[in-house]
Amino acid sequence: MCLAIPSKVIKIENTIATVDVYGARRDVSLLLMPEEVTTGDYVLVHAGFAIQKVDKEAANEALSLIKELLEKQEQEEEFY
Amino acid sequence: MEVCGTHTVAVFRHGIRGLLPESIRLLSGPGCPVCVTSIKDVDTAVALSKVSGVVLVTFGDMMRVPGSSRSLYEAKAEGADVRVVYSPLDALKIASENKDRRVVFFATGFETTSPLVAATLFEAEKEGIENFYIYSVHKLVPPALKALLDSPEVNVDGFILPGHVSTIIGSRPYEFIGKDHGIPSVITGFDAKDILEGILMLLKQLDAGMSDVQIQYRKVVREEGNPRAVATINECFKPSEVYWRGIGTIPESGLILKDKYRKRDITEIVNVDVPEGSEPKGCSCGEVLRGVKLPTECALFAKKCTPETPVGACMVSTEGSCAAYYRYRSG
């Protein structure tokens, strides 16, 4: 349940940010962010809320791992 | 012990157990919110869904958890209006679009999730959406760890602490683990490298006779956590004694609404008195959640209890220890 995914902020309007993960876009709330967020930042998103800023390099690394995992999982499921 | 259910799954997915020498044994802890929600709380959610005019909104994880007689999924099949959302804000949207209904969010989860629900309550107040309620079964991780450590049957040399709960609360609430119990702990991330590094940091502490709370998952965890999220929780909720499935009643380990927000507590408005639920016969979820038994040591595992026909909650949730052992079991 506590899964959270690093997402890139592409637009900010008041307390709502539009984020991008592999081209999938959604709006997330910035109400819980402890520091200011700007376009281009990576944030950790859990259930529709940004909960922390993520170091950009670390975010790219985590995203490539999640992508690799999803691909591996798809391959694995094909065997079932 | 890895406390968090997301770690349990990651440990299996990355094949980490197979990489470790026999002297290192990973135990799964009580960090799957679905698994520690009591049968009575599931029964209450089911009963609420059956009340005329109520829309019961939940995270998808809770749908198939068996109550005493039925799950929310079965209640929905019987005609109850049960809806699954990704975010508590989606539940608020349902409330704003259905002003003639009482929309109740089944608020499960640990410190990662409770600030989101609190922020959603702020929004409900701000927008004047009066028909939005919650049924809070939120739980807190540090009091559960304290209860585990106070129990003589639990024998753990180090803790892999949850990454995203700690994004919110930081490292300080865990300091008692070292101070009072002399056990080291490391707040750890979720990829293979993170987990292996977390284990290595624990071993180094053990070797040096240290018992600190260290942070491996630096990219999102700071010592102070996320102060704004913690303040948001504290504005809406206060700690209360609650029942954890498999562990029992733990003081100050759950969150109930403060007086100011009590009008949003559905149990203040609708009376659904359900009897105490009883655990399914033969189910070892309790021992599994305390790290006393491995899922494979339960008589029902992979026989009567499978992900298709789960008996206990630990087999239902994808983050439950039993479901993880089942999915990645050999043979």
Side-chain angles (χ1 to χ4, degrees), chain A residues 1-6 15-16 26-35 43-55 57-59 61-62 65 69-70 73 76-77 80, chain B residues 4 6 13-14 33-34 59 61-62 86-90 108-110 112-113 115-116 119-120 123 164-165 167-168 191 193 217 219-220 222 225-229 232 319 327-328:
Chain A
M1 186 177 277
C2 296
L3 194 67
I5 294 177
T15 58
I16 302 287
R26 68 168 295 138
D27 289 346
V28 299
S29 169
L30 298 175
L31 284 174
L32 296 171
M33 280 301 294
E35 56 187 314
V43 288
L44 190 68
V45 172
H46 171 60
F49 285 82
I51 56 172
Q52 190 62 272
K53 214 186 248 193
V54 190
D55 175 63
E57 206 173 299
E61 192 187 332
L65 278 163
L69 268 180
L70 290 172
Q73 199 175 1
E76 191 183 313
E77 274 160 6
Y80 277 100
Chain B
C4 170
T6 314
R13 202 172 269 167
H14 300 307
V34 176
F59 288 128
D61 316 40
M62 295 307 297
Y86 159 73
S87 166
L89 287 174
D90 300 335
T108 50
F110 296 128
T112 324
T113 313
L116 282 53
T120 304
E123 287 293 289
H164 294 142
V165 164
T167 301
I168 304 294
D191 65 45
K193 203 183 77 189
Y217 198 29
K219 57 192 167 199
V220 288
R222 335 260 187 256
N226 176 339
R228 187 163 180 194
T232 307
E319 295 192 342
R327 179 163 185 185
Y328 296 98

Side-chain angles (χ1 to χ4, degrees), chain B residues 49-69:
Chain B
S49 77
K50 302 253 173 183
V51 173
S52 170
V54 164
V55 183
L56 196 284
V57 187
T58 176
F59 288 128
D61 316 40
M62 295 307 297
M63 284 297 278
R64 290 181 63 233
V65 182
S68 297
S69 63

Side-chain angles (χ1 to χ4, degrees), chain B residues 32 34-35 60-67 71 245 285 305-324:
Chain B
C32 156
V34 176
C35 307
D61 316 40
M62 295 307 297
M63 284 297 278
R64 290 181 63 233
V65 182
S71 63
R245 189 176 191 173
C285 273
C305 186
T306 66
E308 285 73 37
T309 53
V311 176
C314 305
M315 188 61 95
V316 179
S317 168
T318 49
E319 295 192 342
S321 307
C322 297

